[in-house]
Amino acid sequence: MFIINCPFCGEREQSEFKAGGEAHIERPKQPTELSDDEWAEYLFMRKNIKGIQFERWNHIHGCRKWFNMVRDTSNDEIKAIYKMGEKPPVK
Amino acid sequence: MSKNLRVKTSKFVDETYRVSFKFNGSRYYGYKGDTLASALLANDIHLVGRSFKYHRPRGIMTSGSEEPNAIVQLHNNSDRTEPNVRATEIEIYEGLEASSQNCWPSVNFDIGGINNLLSPLLPAGFYYKTFMWPASFWEKYEYFIRKSAGLGKSPTTPDPDVYEHEYIHCDVLIVGAGISGIMAAKTAAKNGLKTLLVDEKPNLGGSTIYQNSEHFKINNQNSGSWLEKEINEIKKIDNLDIRIRTSVAAFHGYNFLLARENLTDHLPIEQRKNKTRQKLLKIRAKKVITATGSLERPLIFDNNDRPGILLSSAIKRYADLFGVACGEKNIFLTNNDSAYETAISLIQKGIKVEAIVDNREEIESKLLYEIEKNNVKVFKGFTIVNTNGYKKINKVSLMKLSKDGQKVIGSKINLSCDCLGVSGGWTPAVHLFTQSGGKLKFREEDQVFIPKKYSSEQISIGACNGDLILEDIIKNTPKYLKEFLNIKKTDYDNVEVFSSENKSKRNIWLLPSDKILGKTKSFVDYQNDATAKDIKLALREGFRSIEHVKRYTTTGMGTDQGKLGNMHALGIISETAGTKMGEHGTTTFRPPYTPLTFGTIVGRNVGEYFDIFRKTPMHEWHLKNKAEFENVGQWKRAWYYPKNNENMFEAVQRESKAARESAGILDASTLGKIDIQGTDASEFLNRVYTNAWSKLAVGKCRYGLMLNEDGMVYDDGVTTRLGENHYIMTTTTGGAANVLGKLEDYLQTEWPELDVYLTSVTDHFATISVCGPNSKKIISNVIPDLDLSDENFPHMSFKNTKIGKINCRVMRISFTGEHSYEINVQANYANSVWEKCMEIGKDFNITPYGTETMHLLRAEKGFIIVGQDTDATMTPIDLQMDWIVSKKKYDFIGKRSLYRSDTIKDDRKQLVGLLTDNPNEILEEGAQIVADVNKSPIEMLGHVTSSYYSPNLKKSIALGVVRGGKNMMGKKLIIPMENKTINVTVADPVFLDKENKRLNA
Ligand SMILES: [Zn+2]
């Protein structure tokens, strides 16, 4: 079980959080302009990487805020945590 | 059987405190401090069980949690019965009753023993290969297998004991209280760190504490005495928490560990009352020091599993700690110095050692000198090729090893004995380290895996880190501690150590035999009866990965997880395949290290505390009025209110009729309620619902359908505009939390520019729904100040009003198709308002109805229930609800998906009404719908989603989803059931009052 440093609350147990899938997939501003393939790309395609992965997390049993996390999925090391809308601090 | 093998008074058992216990029905005696194993051995009992596959007689083999054979059932046929208890761990108490497992009818005569004779027919993978085919034979095999095999019996009555969970946060956790663990605990605690020390055994000090020999000295004292003083010192330290009988089960990432603390298992049953039996400790440690020691390895040779064959270290522990001799004529087989230590211990106590068979040709050890001084014959460069004795060993046969150790040469020497101690060297106990994600490296010189790379703030010290002799432990541990804890000095920096032990070892994974391998039974995994032959067979059949070999041969898959034999399995694989150790992987040790009881895992979360349940403010009223309840999510909802022995069907028929003929009342408080405020609230609703919201006037209500981005229906409910920038949204009961989460997600991540605030008010408001032709009369008396005329208060509108002093929000909305009102009041007033409605409604036969009647009434009207008539594959178009999808709005959640190539197909499953040809025939929800039963295979068109008998229409009605159903109006379809087929006609899903006359009545 991780300890997650919520950018709004500080360090808390993983059980207070919910994982929300891959980060930085922006909802298209003009969905109607997209072909089926382009829309499917947004809707369905996720990377699911072994290694460094950018993820969304929600402090669901805390402040309920969403934030981003960079996590190495091979050893669960959390490399960085940053707020929604911010650029990832690591590559 | 009455022989007494207690040879020496031991300070670790209390010989003034005699304890009687039963084993397989016979009464025996031991002393307080004995384990079941030590007490049995003192009574000269070795045979305790049968092996899993071949039912071979098996005895006590170890003295700890790694025991593969001596597992027993405690208190058979009682509510405290427990299977798979290791006799080597359980401490005896007055009244303990244990019995052998895996033998039928008895341990001494076992019918499954025939498997042993059939063993040439039972190779690795036998169960896979044989019992799987033909499938129809399985029932016959199963009877035989279940009856004659199996590991113990689970209890059939509720567990009478109480369990707890405890959270512990500490600076340093030390796992294992052997010599290195004690040194670590003292060092950490004396440096002011909040320290927790746990050990699975009832006493501290590991194997050093009973080491009482001239050959092992620390600061000129016997190592055991030196350690005892250290232990006495640490017991006085305040910031050191010591938990004995505490076994770490799991070492997770971020230094999160789970441990089981045994609090009462060593007490007589009558002393356990009102005490917690076991605790699950949830430990979060800033730093972890693993000091779990090492496990002695057995040796792999023909018939190495007979009762009376023990690990050499176990024999020493039984003699030194419990004062028990495992035999009167002892022989040892070893490849290192450890067996000599044991032999010297036995000789000191006057126990006879016949011989030591040492794989090593040349031995340079002070211990050897002492052994030879005592006239014990040492066979150098020899190995044991066979043993005899069915229920207990009585003879061993030795032969000389060839120079390369690959074969045996010369002639056989037979020696008689009643106990054989084996030592194959030591395996560092790296189980917890690997669980934590640590990587291992292989040390060639003594063929062990040791920690290489840690995954968190942790170190391994002592034997589990590869320091296998006392000298190394004493010299290295202070160094490791100083670096890890960031301190300058320890109490042990200048400790002097003397040990006679020599590190030399001759490692042969599979000892050679004069027989061909196929004719031997050299056990690698004792509990699962996997032999060296099985492993080689697996390799011949093409298995390479250790994980595959393990599953195929079942090596390491017993309750002991192969703590003893896994290394040999790896060794045999790498020797056979000609690869390096570790190249085929090491097996993963998964939690728990030793088995946990279910009680420990669930703690106090049992019975009514298993899951929380939510009650509405009218819950007590429902109870008083004999409601049956239904679980909806965590809510308890009134299901129906049976009167005069009515069954559910009868009650629902009565309730449904009353609601349509006069008045019904429903507790709808569980509906999710989300308060939405902000200048962009209308725009927000436009984006999350399929229909348009901007033009909804203040004081009006609207039904909305919410989709997922994939276009599938997600939730529905009525939302009311309370003010210019203020709405209250209702959601389905089960969907409330997820809807709020989803809306928050969009607001925070996709549309942060919107000025909208969401607050869950589900628990703050209770909802009372009154419906039926007389509802207007009732409400006009409940709220006399409210003008209920259609002009002032039309359908789909809302009023803020008061009942006496109680503020309430009244909506004129309907889920039944009847004229109907929903009164929302602050939860703590709700019951009084409900009772007032009941009181006033009496004259109109107001009838409380539950969720079942609600479902029936809405089905008559063709209203869907999200999650019952939909299943995350239904678009609004599939539901024939095109009317609610705005054509004008540019975007809303899921809009783009409504015209993907898949969602626009004509032959999607679509919601339709179904009428049975026989109006009294009620369909089963979930039943399949087909068009042609003569086609093979029968094409499945869909299924029934909702089905009721309508007392108002006096016929059976149903909703279902049917492939291409929209265009099947009036078509005949078939519902095939187990014993019959039912003919149905596709119909409009709205069965009652298509013109909405009742709503406006
Ligand atoms: Zn937070």
Side-chain angles (χ1 to χ4, degrees), chain A residues 6-10 12 16-17 58-60 62-65 67:
Chain A
C6 170
F8 306 94
C9 308
R12 295 290 191 279
E16 292 187 13
F17 297 85
N58 185 213
H59 195 184
I60 186 99
C63 63
R64 300 188 64 90
K65 284 284 194 185
F67 56 88

Side-chain angles (χ1 to χ4, degrees), chain B residues 47 121 234 258 279 282 291 330 398 400 408 424 447 458 528 532 558 595 611 673 695 704 760 784 787 838 936 979:
Chain B
L47 173 61
L121 306 174
I234 66 164
L258 297 172
K279 265 188 194 175
K282 299 179 171 183
N330 295 281
L398 359 163
K400 184 91 179 155
V408 281
Q447 304 277 300
Q458 55 159 311
N528 277 339
D611 195 7
K673 299 172 219 60
K695 288 189 188 132
S760 166
D787 176 2
M838 288 304 298
S936 182
N979 304 315

